């Protein structure tokens, strides 16, 4: 066998090992969560049901001493209470078992069911790490949703995506403490320096295409594409109050994009105008001749 042949065969074993490693991690996580949920179920049954919490506390205190002595601190009274809470609050759900116990422990204390299920769904859909989830909660991701979903089911079934589904209000831009935005170029550079963070504020599926994007001797401040909506997004920046001509200018750019770069399989371009209203920047969506204003808040570090 030639050297390259050995390399390919070794690589195949490495790939197989990495796939098996990930599978084992998923299986171990599933087993752990299944065990924790069933421990919680048995604790509730042993105490005589959900209405007999006082007796349950006595059992937990007594049994945790023995469990901790035999199996370590992972089964102390605090964790046994968490397992019981897990069983009482969360139905057995194979899809949810894809997240880690660390994620579940962070979300479980949230009392509002819609808010709690939102973060569960978000963790599953975006495969969030503990740190990423904590950042979402700290930044009030749910509270800032424009259209807060009601009656949120655990693990939402796939449905048609709308532009406002994950959009936040206010949208946050982080800038240096002493930085002053005097011009549209300053605003553009500020947004571009934090573009990844800004795109997640707008919602799902936004991708950066370019800045000062040239079409027929016209320059679009920022051009985006949204995968979920399957359309281009024109972004125009103003460091003053919105004027009616700004809407006409943005609509002209939207038409240019549709005529020159949009493919037949893609939807019509939508537009965003960011303009200054007193001390805030406002995001205005242009779509089907409608202008939809949102607050765009600049947060100083």
């Amino acid at each position: 066998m030639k050297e390259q042949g050995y390399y390919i065969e070794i690589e195949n074993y490495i790939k197989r090992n990495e796939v098996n490693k990930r599978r084992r991690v998923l299986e171990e996580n599933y087993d752990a969560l299944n065990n924790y949920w069933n421990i919680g179920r048995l604790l509730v049954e042993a105490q005589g049901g959900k209405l007999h919490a006082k007796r349950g506390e006595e059992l937990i205190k007594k049994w945790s001493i023995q469990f901790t002595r035999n199996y370590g601190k992972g089964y102390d009274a605090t964790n046994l209470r968490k397992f019981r809470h897990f069983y009482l609050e969360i139905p057995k759900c194979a899809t949810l078992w894809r997240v880690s116990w660390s994620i579940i422990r962070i979300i479980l204390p949230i009392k509002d069911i819609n808010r709690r299920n939102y973060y569960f769904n978000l963790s599953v859909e975006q495969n969030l790490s503990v740190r990423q989830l904590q950042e979402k909660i700290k930044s009030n991701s749910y509270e800032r949703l424009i259209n807060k979903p009601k009656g949120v089911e655990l693990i939402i079934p796939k449905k048609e995506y709308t532009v406002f589904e994950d959009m936040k209000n206010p949208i946050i831009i982080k800038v240096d403490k002493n930085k002053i935005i005097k011009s549209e170029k300053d605003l553009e550079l500020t947004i571009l320096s934090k573009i990844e963070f800004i795109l997640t504020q707008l919602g799902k599926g936004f991708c950066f295409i370019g800045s000062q994007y040239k079409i027929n001797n016209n320059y679009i401040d920022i051009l985006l594409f949204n995968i979920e909506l399957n359309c281009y997004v024109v972004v125009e920046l103003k460091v003053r109050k919105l004027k009616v001509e700004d809407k006409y200018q943005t609509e002209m750019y939207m038409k240019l994009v549709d005529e020159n770069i949009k493919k037949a399989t893609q939807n019509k371009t939508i537009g965003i105008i960011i303009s200054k209203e007193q001390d805030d920047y406002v995001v205005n969506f242009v779509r089907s001749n409608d202008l939809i204003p949102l607050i765009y808040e600049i947060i100083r570090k």
Side-chain angles (χ1 to χ4, degrees):
M1 188 185 297
K2 292 183 179 181
E3 182 178 314
Q4 185 63 20
Y6 283 112
Y7 176 88
I8 292 171
E9 192 164 345
I10 291 171
E11 186 177 38
N12 287 336
Y13 277 107
I14 291 173
K15 287 179 180 178
R16 190 182 308 166
N17 186 58
E18 290 302 307
V19 169
N20 288 336
K21 192 188 296 181
R22 286 192 289 271
R23 176 180 54 78
R24 286 193 295 271
V25 168
L26 289 172
E27 288 175 351
E28 288 171 6
N29 185 67
Y30 181 92
D31 286 342
L33 295 182
N34 189 56
N35 289 335
Y36 296 159
W37 190 88
N38 279 301
I39 290 170
R41 174 182 62 81
L42 292 170
L43 285 170
V44 171
E45 290 178 6
Q47 74 186 35
K50 298 178 182 180
L51 300 178
H52 301 280
K54 187 174 182 180
R55 182 164 183 263
E57 282 300 310
E58 293 172 357
L59 288 175
I60 283 175
K61 288 178 183 177
K62 182 174 68 175
W63 290 348
S64 66
I65 295 171
Q66 190 64 39
F67 290 145
T68 303
R69 184 182 298 126
N70 293 338
Y71 305 104
K73 292 182 179 180
Y75 302 94
D76 61 12
T78 299
N79 281 317
L80 291 183
R81 291 189 190 97
K82 287 176 181 176
F83 300 156
R84 182 179 62 183
H85 190 195
F86 183 31
Y87 166 74
L88 290 172
E89 296 293 335
I90 308 299
K92 199 168 186 178
C93 174
T95 310
L96 180 59
W97 269 215
R98 286 160 49 189
V99 301
S100 68
W101 175 241
S102 297
I103 292 285
I104 291 173
R105 283 192 306 174
I106 292 171
I107 299 175
L108 262 181
I110 298 174
K111 293 181 179 179
D112 183 277
I113 294 176
N114 286 323
R115 183 169 176 259
R116 185 175 66 203
N117 286 352
Y118 166 81
Y119 286 115
F120 271 132
N121 292 329
L122 198 66
S123 298
V124 171
E125 290 169 0
Q126 298 185 15
N127 193 28
L128 297 180
S129 66
V130 169
R131 182 183 60 80
Q132 289 170 329
L133 173 61
Q134 289 171 330
E135 287 177 353
K136 296 283 186 184
I137 294 173
K138 187 177 180 180
S139 68
N140 294 319
S141 179
Y142 174 77
E143 287 77 5
R144 292 186 293 113
L145 283 173
I146 293 169
N147 291 330
K148 289 187 180 63
K150 296 179 180 178
V152 179
E153 298 175 6
L154 194 57
I155 313 307
I156 303 171
K158 187 71 175 177
K159 61 180 185 297
E160 186 178 353
Y161 185 78
T162 63
V163 70
F164 299 113
E165 187 169 316
D166 293 296
M167 188 172 294
K168 309 301 184 295
N169 184 17
I171 295 169
I172 297 169
I173 302 181
K174 295 179 180 178
V175 299
D176 294 334
K177 192 173 183 179
N178 299 319
K179 185 175 179 62
I180 298 174
I181 297 175
K182 296 180 179 179
S183 66
E184 291 172 7
K185 188 65 178 176
D186 288 341
L187 180 58
E188 179 185 331
L189 291 174
T190 299
I191 289 174
L192 291 177
S193 69
K194 309 288 183 183
I195 190 66
E196 186 175 347
F197 179 73
I198 298 299
L199 294 183
T200 61
Q201 297 284 299
L202 290 174
K204 285 196 299 188
F206 282 92
C207 304
F208 176 72
I209 302 298
S211 61
Q212 295 303 311
Y213 195 94
K214 185 179 179 182
I215 301 182
N216 296 355
N217 294 319
N218 293 281
Y219 291 87
I220 298 169
D221 287 338
I222 298 175
L223 185 64
L224 308 176
F225 189 85
N226 188 283
I227 297 170
E228 298 284 345
L229 298 170
N230 190 30
C231 71
Y232 284 97
V233 184
V234 167
V235 182
E236 281 300 295
L237 308 174
K238 308 296 175 186
V239 290
R240 51 161 173 75
K241 292 186 70 172
L242 184 71
K243 296 181 180 180
V244 66
E245 53 261 37
D246 298 331
K247 179 174 180 287
Y248 298 148
Q249 179 192 32
T250 304
E251 288 174 338
M252 179 189 73
Y253 290 158
M254 291 160 59
K255 186 177 180 182
L256 284 172
V257 172
D258 284 342
E259 291 176 349
N260 290 276
I261 63 174
K262 182 183 88 69
K263 295 179 181 178
T265 55
Q266 294 168 341
N267 295 320
K268 284 191 172 183
T269 302
I270 62 176
I272 295 175
I273 308 171
I274 300 175
S275 60
K276 190 172 184 180
E277 302 293 334
Q278 296 180 346
D279 293 328
D280 289 319
Y281 280 88
V282 177
V283 174
N284 300 275
F285 261 82
V286 182
R287 188 181 60 174
S288 302
N289 297 320
D290 293 329
L291 199 61
I292 308 163
L294 310 168
I295 298 300
Y296 198 95
E297 183 178 59
I298 290 187
I299 303 296
R300 303 266 175 202
K301 289 181 182 177

